Amino acid sequence: MKFRTTFLFLFVVFGIFAQDKKSKGDLLFYGYAYKDAIKEYKKQQINTPLTNQQTLNLADAYYMIGNYSSAADAYVQVYKKDTTMSDYHFNKMLEAMSRTSDKEKMQAFLDTKKDLMPHEWTENADFNYELLESNEGGGMDYHLFNVSNNSAQSDFSPAFYSDDRILFSSGRPQKDKQDYSPSGESYLDIFVGKLNGNGDVQNSIRFAGIPASSFHKSTPYYSKALNEIFYVLSNTANGDLVYDQNGKNALAIGLAGQNGSFEYILKDLSTSFYYPFYDAKTQRLYFVANFDEGYGGTDIYYVNTNNGQIMSSPVNLGPRINSPGNEIAPYIFNNSLYFSSDVFYGLGGMDIYKSNIMGDDNFSIPINLGRGINSTADDFGFIIKDGGNGGFEGYFSSNRQGGKGKDDIYGFRISDDPGLKTLALTGTVTDPTTGEGIDKVAVSVLDTEGNPIKEVYSNEDGQYRFEIPWRDHIVLEIHKERYGTFKKKYDEKEITALEKNQLNIELPFLDAMVAQKEDKTVLKLKKIRFDRGKSTITPEAAMVLDMAVYALKEFPQIRLAIETYTDSRGASSTNLKISQNRADAIKNYLIEKGAPAKSILSSKGYGEEKILNNCTNGVYCLDMLHEQNNRSLLVVTNYDSL
């Protein structure tokens, strides 16, 4: 019995057309007799075409029995008739295609709807495709073991209870519980198992720390901070199931105290709630539900609480986490959110993902934990803690081949932080003159051969963030039209250091670095002063020219013409020679300090050819007026085309 899929499917589809007249195939389908429903729908097709909803039911039925090729064909029939197919079923169509290894066909259908999807979904998909392909040979080095107390029924959703015990859900038979017809197993109950020194689960018995019920009790979470247990249970009153007006019995979340107290925390007769997780640090209660305004099947939400008592409306974690598929089983550890999803770009079925919590309800791209933990079957209910020897240990559930029952609990140990390795970098791009952030700056990640890997743009505050599958070497290029350019190569050691800190970059604005002089566009610099009659670069002149070097490095596309002039004192031929020497000295200094040689088109001395005032030959002038004519201009010849 697949609680996370069969149950989720039940509550997502149940009652969609509750008031419509149903065919025999419909009745079998809504009664979870999928093989028989398929037979009846195929009979019906001989005489009467199926409605779009019935074709969807047929597709879902094929999917539930594992006939993914026929499921994909049926989903496509609906999509071709009605491209407004729900995101939930669109995901099912893509997932069915992915399970038949028809990735090109899947990508083609995905492209038809990309513009209508939140950009986070396509970004998540592209990232995880690349991540899994780059780790095609295998995942991380997980040590897995099937725990001893798994039964022939469904055992899933482990939860830490104490240092030597865990809680879990099971459909194993019990004398005081009836069978639940969709699964053919007993109504679910919560069990507690003893942990031995190797982390194996033994001596499991039904947990007596919560009120008894003849119906579902499952997916527990024990809060050490509250010393209470959150868990899912059937809606009941006076020991009997309670139904809404459409005849639906939903699941609620209850809170049981160690003193025998109990209260419903989340309850709605028409809405089912699943997989509670209480984060003591934020006092948020995370859970799963299929509210109408969600993104697909079931989504992950949270409510703010005061020591477990709900104090807010539900908050959806948003499209970075919630996909058009089903998201379940949230768990927070070391500031990372772990959860499971059956989104189409996984390895198959439910996969376990990890997303770093960035603050203010922001999350990093969820990354697939990779082969080993994940398989082509359903993998879910992941929990983790420190292993005590520098590594980590935990448990999860899976219905992969080789297990003892329909769902089994697996233990794992791993030496490193779980998750395929990625590279994430954040920072801010600012204008050095104003100190303000620059928006729409392109941050390009290239490989060492210059091939593009990723490109993002800074927001209105100049902030940027990117995440890519891990690479030992990258090149960063940060640029915007009419701004400077930052470009640098990083090796593995530098990248590791870079991830721990923000990379904040200043990009000068071209228009702030030029000025108009003598009807020319020139670099905006203080006056370049030479000793009288000499052409040696003085320390004072060097400081000014260093700013010119900076400008040419930031704007390598600039082309300069260096023009130098003198006053009229002395012989004209001598002044012409001095000005030429000064122009050449400026050019040589710029190149020696790293300015691109190709940036300097010419260096020419004009002597006393262009006197700015009346201080020409034979005219008496004060030194300060003569000095006005001693000048050097670094003319930007291509400013209009930059």
Side-chain angles (χ1 to χ4, degrees):
M1 194 281 295
K2 301 179 181 180
F3 178 83
R4 73 275 165 216
T5 49
T6 302
F7 265 44
L8 295 181
F9 182 79
L10 159 65
F11 291 113
V12 167
V13 304
F14 185 87
I16 292 177
F17 291 90
Q19 306 304 320
D20 292 349
K21 184 177 180 181
K22 297 180 178 64
S23 68
K24 186 175 181 180
D26 296 334
L27 294 173
L28 289 167
F29 173 77
Y30 289 115
Y32 318 107
Y34 299 118
K35 290 183 179 180
D36 292 336
I38 292 169
K39 292 178 182 178
E40 288 301 323
Y41 282 137
K42 292 175 76 173
K43 288 180 184 178
Q44 181 180 331
Q45 282 180 310
I46 297 174
N47 300 313
T48 307
L50 299 180
T51 66
N52 266 13
Q53 181 59 43
Q54 289 176 325
T55 308
L56 268 183
N57 293 350
L58 176 62
D60 287 338
Y62 277 128
Y63 188 94
M64 294 303 291
I65 67 170
N67 186 342
Y68 301 114
S69 178
S70 296
D73 291 342
Y75 285 129
V76 169
Q77 287 182 41
V78 177
Y79 188 68
K80 287 182 176 179
K81 295 178 184 177
D82 181 10
T83 55
T84 62
M85 172 193 284
S86 71
D87 289 337
Y88 170 78
H89 277 107
F90 187 73
N91 178 74
K92 283 293 182 190
M93 179 178 76
L94 297 182
E95 192 182 3
M97 290 178 180
S98 70
R99 284 172 172 254
T100 61
S101 299
D102 198 351
K103 289 188 177 180
E104 290 186 5
K105 184 178 180 181
M106 181 191 71
Q107 189 63 50
F109 276 96
L110 178 61
D111 290 341
T112 66
K113 206 168 181 177
K114 269 190 173 181
D115 292 341
L116 302 176
M117 290 181 168
H119 75 275
E120 290 91 345
W121 290 357
T122 53
E123 189 176 31
N124 289 357
D126 291 343
F127 185 91
N128 277 279
Y129 278 140
E130 182 180 356
L131 186 67
L132 291 172
E133 287 174 4
S134 65
N135 289 272
E136 191 68 38
M140 300 186 70
D141 187 19
Y142 295 99
H143 171 70
L144 301 183
F145 59 95
N146 188 299
V147 305
S148 297
N149 269 187
N150 283 317
S151 68
Q153 288 73 35
S154 296
D155 300 295
F156 61 97
S157 192
F160 296 118
Y161 185 52
S162 64
D163 291 340
D164 62 349
R165 289 182 295 172
I166 65 167
L167 303 174
F168 64 94
S169 306
S170 181
R172 57 189 67 185
Q174 298 167 75
K175 293 181 179 179
D176 59 346
K177 287 215 172 192
Q178 303 175 21
D179 285 347
Y180 179 60
S181 58
S183 68
E185 298 182 359
S186 171
Y187 274 95
L188 297 171
D189 213 329
I190 296 172
F191 289 74
V192 59
K194 185 81 172 176
L195 300 178
N196 66 15
N198 295 320
D200 198 6
V201 182
Q202 301 175 333
N203 304 322
S204 298
I205 59 173
R206 189 156 66 169
F207 183 58
I210 55 178
S213 170
S214 299
F215 306 105
H216 288 307
K217 293 187 296 181
S218 65
T219 58
Y221 177 76
Y222 169 68
S223 169
K224 186 176 181 180
L226 301 177
N227 195 26
E228 293 180 310
I229 296 173
F230 296 88
Y231 67 103
V232 168
L233 70 163
S234 301
N235 279 317
T236 61
N238 301 318
D240 295 321
L241 294 175
V242 179
Y243 301 89
D244 71 0
Q245 60 184 3
N246 292 320
K248 174 182 175 180
N249 175 254
L251 300 174
I253 292 178
L255 180 61
Q258 296 296 305
N259 58 2
S261 64
F262 170 81
E263 60 180 316
Y264 284 105
I265 294 295
L266 290 170
K267 180 177 181 179
D268 183 321
L269 294 183
S270 298
T271 302
S272 284
F273 302 95
Y274 317 88
Y275 291 99
F277 173 83
Y278 179 74
D279 181 22
K281 180 180 177 181
T282 61
Q283 295 197 54
R284 288 177 174 178
L285 175 63
Y286 291 82
F287 64 93
V288 173
N290 59 311
F291 294 130
D292 290 340
E293 68 275 14
Y295 289 96
T298 56
D299 284 359
I300 300 174
Y301 295 80
Y302 73 80
V303 288
N304 294 308
T305 78
N306 182 5
N307 291 324
Q309 300 303 307
I310 294 176
M311 304 295 289
S312 75
S313 299
V315 177
N316 190 298
L317 295 196
R320 179 60 73 198
I321 299 298
N322 291 315
S323 77
N326 294 299
E327 279 68 49
I328 62 170
Y331 189 87
I332 294 175
F333 177 74
N334 280 357
N335 207 44
S336 292
L337 171 68
Y338 295 87
F339 65 97
S340 294
S341 174
D342 63 0
V343 68
F344 62 88
Y345 49 74
L347 294 176
M350 282 278 171
D351 277 4
I352 301 165
Y353 291 82
K354 172 186 177 181
S355 174
N356 295 325
I357 301 172
M358 312 296 289
D360 297 326
D361 291 341
N362 291 319
F363 298 88
S364 67
I365 293 175
I367 59 171
N368 193 298
L369 291 196
R371 296 168 180 83
I373 282 288
N374 288 321
S375 67
T376 56
D378 293 310
D379 308 290
F380 63 104
F382 180 93
I383 62 175
I384 185 173
K385 66 178 182 178
D386 291 321
N389 56 356
F392 304 93
E393 59 187 31
Y395 302 87
F396 69 101
S397 303
S398 179
N399 63 347
R400 63 188 62 189
Q401 291 185 354
K404 300 174 183 175
K406 297 182 178 180
D407 287 320
D408 277 7
I409 296 172
Y410 289 81
F412 72 86
R413 288 188 291 273
I414 187 170
S415 58
D416 299 316
D417 200 20
L420 300 176
K421 196 172 182 181
T422 65
L423 192 167
L425 187 62
T426 62
T428 304
V429 186
T430 56
D431 185 318
T433 302
T434 65
E436 296 179 352
I438 309 172
D439 67 344
K440 298 179 182 178
V441 177
V443 180
S444 303
V445 189
L446 315 172
D447 64 20
T448 53
E449 296 178 353
N451 300 310
I453 300 172
K454 179 90 170 182
E455 184 171 80
V456 298
Y457 290 86
S458 62
N459 64 16
E460 59 184 8
D461 296 319
Q463 298 170 343
Y464 69 89
R465 182 184 186 282
F466 70 81
E467 188 168 5
I468 60 174
W470 177 260
R471 294 172 184 265
D472 292 337
H473 295 79
I474 61 167
V475 176
L476 278 185
E477 186 173 39
I478 301 176
H479 54 95
K480 181 179 180 178
E481 185 177 356
R482 301 193 74 79
Y483 281 84
T485 297
F486 171 89
K487 189 171 184 179
K488 186 176 179 181
K489 182 185 292 186
Y490 293 90
D491 60 23
E492 183 174 7
K493 184 177 179 180
E494 291 170 320
I495 293 170
T496 301
L498 205 59
E499 282 196 295
K500 297 177 181 178
N501 302 283
Q502 288 196 339
L503 178 61
N504 299 323
I505 299 297
E506 291 183 337
L507 290 188
F509 186 35
L510 175 61
D511 293 352
M513 303 191 74
V514 297
Q516 294 297 313
K517 285 186 179 180
E518 304 176 31
D519 297 326
K520 300 174 182 178
T521 301
V522 301
L523 290 183
K524 185 188 294 184
L525 301 170
K526 292 182 180 180
K527 189 166 186 174
I528 303 169
R529 298 183 184 276
F530 290 88
D531 291 338
R532 184 168 174 77
K534 296 183 178 180
S535 57
T536 303
I537 301 295
T538 65
E540 181 184 4
M543 292 178 63
V544 176
L545 291 176
D546 286 344
M547 294 302 298
V549 173
Y550 170 73
L552 293 176
K553 286 182 176 179
E554 291 291 333
F555 298 95
Q557 68 273 37
I558 282 179
R559 296 297 177 261
L560 284 185
I562 301 171
E563 300 179 359
T564 303
Y565 304 89
T566 67
D567 60 34
S568 62
R569 292 175 291 184
S572 298
S573 58
T574 301
N575 288 336
L576 184 62
K577 183 177 180 181
I578 290 174
S579 64
Q580 184 61 52
N581 290 342
R582 288 176 176 176
D584 292 339
I586 291 173
K587 175 182 178 180
N588 293 335
Y589 182 89
L590 295 178
I591 294 174
E592 287 173 3
K593 291 298 182 178
K598 64 181 180 180
S599 296
I600 305 172
L601 299 180
S602 62
S603 56
K604 185 173 182 180
Y606 290 88
E608 56 188 74
E609 181 179 323
K610 296 181 180 180
I611 299 298
L612 297 178
N613 48 34
N614 294 324
C615 300
T616 56
N617 286 328
V619 177
Y620 172 78
C621 286
L622 297 173
D623 286 347
M624 59 174 287
L625 294 176
H626 277 301
E627 190 58 30
Q628 290 177 0
N629 296 310
N630 285 310
R631 65 203 188 278
S632 298
L633 302 179
L634 275 59
V635 181
V636 182
T637 62
N638 62 337
Y639 176 76
D640 291 336
S641 63
L642 289 175

